[in-house]
Amino acid sequence: MKKTVLALAIAATTACAGVAQADVKVGFLGGFTGGIESLTPPIFDGAKLAVQEINDQGGLLDGEKMVMPSGDTTCSDASAASNAADRLVNSEKVTAIVGALCTGATIAAANNAAIPGGVVMVSPASTAPAVTDLDDNDLVFRTVPSDAFQGEQLAKLLLSKGIEDVAVTYVNNDYGQGLDDAFTKTFEAEGGSISANLAHEDNRADYRSEIGKLSSGGSQTLVVLAYADTSGQTILRQAYESGAFTQYAGGDGMVGNALVDAVGADVLEGMIATRPGSPDVPGSDIFNDLAEKAGIDPSAVFAAQAYDAAFLLALAIEKNGSADREGLSEALRDVATAPGETILPGEWEKAKKLIDEGKEINYEGASGSAEFDDNGDVPGIVVEMAVEDGKFVTKGPIGE
């Protein structure tokens, strides 16, 4: 009799456990320390905004909550990125990952954890061309255009402003090398002159020797393709102290008001930069409104792209019909590609209903269309940024 009662109790407990709804985990990999530590929080906030809206509008699948455990890649440490990804993939058992942000971190996390684990990654910030060439089994995507495009646009922007002679320094990794290569080829092909082009290592305290070499050619404009919280910041400060340059320019890794505060508003007034932006589409306006209501700066670099990455992964999980990893990349392509009824930011409830009815959807996001090509890349626009009155402001899309 006792055995019978015990068996019934175990069965009842098991049945209750089966009814309990498990959370669906989508991880986030970001550079919470290191070269972009001041840029990472608003990117994370963008992704979490999507999570909040999804949960507020019924959750995933059969009402499960979407949760987002995170890991710190430090941006530049491949071991840290691999370890953080390994924890998300093998300990947290995430279904997918938003991230990483820095290109080296994305490549390390993908090769050492995500690809072996069959986990889809969607980066909102890894812009280097090296991501395109990953042998990733269709698991690595991004919601931001490649630096092959951004480098071209930065070169054309400077030339359009009559800046035809520059010195360039870039952080010696996939991000810096890819951006420099695209910038250099376009700048020189369009008639510009580069007096010095020099790689530098990140996380050093003194770049005066490099600055001396960069200034020896006499260029008044220094282009810094690096990170706002590490080498980029130090180089700008020491370049100003040297008195060698009168104009500064940079790419997306340099766009952050923390950089202006650290180096000095007077020093960087008029600095020119570029970053991937959001086109003037309905999704962008909706995201701006949602972000402002949530206390998030909608213009923060890569915040919109992070929102899209998280929302797209949730749509793919819903389309896939489970929190399983298998089949998710195909589902991701389905929800991001026409034909299908357009889904805009904030329209989770509508999307879930259409998917449940077996209808096709096409997400048009905060940062524009997410029409992934064969490599998981997307088209996009690049916007001009400038430091005015002590902060970075958006001047508008380049070429329009």
Side-chain angles (χ1 to χ4, degrees):
M1 184 67 173
K2 289 181 180 179
K3 291 182 178 179
T4 303
V5 171
L6 180 60
L8 289 171
I10 293 173
T13 302
T14 303
C16 290
V19 171
Q21 295 172 327
D23 294 331
V24 177
K25 294 182 179 181
V26 174
F28 181 92
L29 285 173
F32 291 97
T33 59
I36 60 166
E37 63 183 53
S38 67
L39 306 184
T40 294
I43 301 174
F44 191 27
D45 287 342
K48 290 190 293 183
L49 177 59
V51 173
Q52 178 184 336
E53 291 176 357
I54 289 160
N55 289 334
D56 288 347
Q57 294 181 43
L60 283 162
L61 303 170
D62 295 320
E64 289 94 329
K65 292 293 184 182
M66 182 178 178
V67 297
M68 185 165 277
S70 63
D72 182 17
T73 68
T74 77
C75 182
S76 59
D77 187 336
S79 295
S82 297
N83 291 337
D86 180 74
R87 177 175 60 80
L88 292 180
V89 171
N90 297 309
S91 297
E92 294 283 358
K93 304 294 184 183
V94 299
T95 299
I97 292 173
V98 174
L101 306 185
C102 295
T103 296
T106 293
I107 292 173
N111 285 334
N112 295 307
I115 296 172
V119 173
V120 171
M121 297 175 65
V122 181
S123 173
S126 293
T127 54
V131 175
T132 299
D133 300 325
L134 274 175
D135 184 10
D136 62 3
N137 297 327
D138 203 34
L139 292 172
V140 181
F141 299 78
R142 50 183 169 182
T143 52
V144 63
S146 167
D147 278 336
F149 182 54
Q150 184 186 178
E152 293 175 4
Q153 296 301 94
L154 176 58
K156 291 178 179 179
L157 175 64
L158 296 184
L159 290 168
S160 73
K161 295 180 178 295
I163 299 172
E164 300 177 347
D165 181 19
V166 303
V168 182
T169 184
Y170 60 92
V171 63
N172 191 22
N173 60 20
D174 288 321
Y175 167 71
Q177 292 164 9
L179 189 52
D180 172 71
D181 184 59
F183 172 83
T184 299
K185 285 181 179 178
T186 302
F187 195 76
E188 292 182 332
E190 298 281 336
S193 175
I194 297 178
S195 62
N197 187 284
L198 190 65
H200 67 263
E201 301 304 320
D202 202 12
N203 291 307
R204 285 175 43 200
D206 191 343
Y207 294 97
R208 291 178 178 86
S209 174
E210 286 87 347
I211 291 168
K213 295 176 183 177
L214 290 165
S215 64
S216 63
S219 297
Q220 293 299 297
T221 299
L222 177 62
V223 178
V224 183
L225 307 175
Y227 302 124
D229 293 309
T230 49
S231 65
Q233 181 182 131
T234 306
I235 286 171
L236 285 180
R237 185 184 299 111
Q238 293 176 354
Y240 170 72
E241 292 169 354
S242 75
F245 300 96
T246 59
Q247 175 71 57
Y248 303 104
D252 53 341
M254 299 291 285
V255 179
N257 289 328
L259 174 70
V260 182
D261 294 340
V263 178
D266 292 341
V267 175
L268 296 187
E269 184 72 14
M271 178 177 174
I272 301 166
T274 54
R275 69 172 177 87
S278 301
D280 186 13
V281 294
S284 177
D285 293 337
I286 293 170
F287 170 76
N288 290 347
D289 184 56
L290 293 171
E292 287 175 355
K293 288 179 179 177
I296 300 170
D297 178 6
S299 67
V301 63
F302 300 128
Q305 286 83 0
Y307 178 97
D308 287 343
F311 206 95
L312 277 163
L313 284 171
L315 290 172
I317 291 168
E318 194 72 28
K319 175 76 175 181
N320 207 30
S322 75
D324 294 341
R325 296 169 179 176
E326 187 175 354
L328 192 62
S329 63
E330 182 180 353
L332 178 62
R333 290 186 177 279
D334 285 344
V335 299
T337 306
E341 185 161 345
T342 297
I343 297 298
L344 299 172
E347 294 187 334
W348 175 255
E349 192 172 7
K350 173 185 174 182
K352 182 176 175 64
K353 182 175 183 293
L354 289 169
I355 291 172
D356 290 345
E357 293 172 352
K359 296 178 180 177
E360 295 295 320
I361 64 169
N362 176 27
Y363 180 67
E364 295 288 340
S367 57
S369 173
E371 295 278 344
F372 297 113
D373 66 14
D374 290 344
N375 297 309
D377 290 345
V378 294
I381 65 169
V382 173
V383 298
E384 176 186 352
M385 307 293 294
V387 176
E388 295 181 357
D389 298 324
K391 63 181 180 180
F392 274 103
V393 297
T394 303
K395 306 298 287 185
I398 298 172
E400 294 187 3

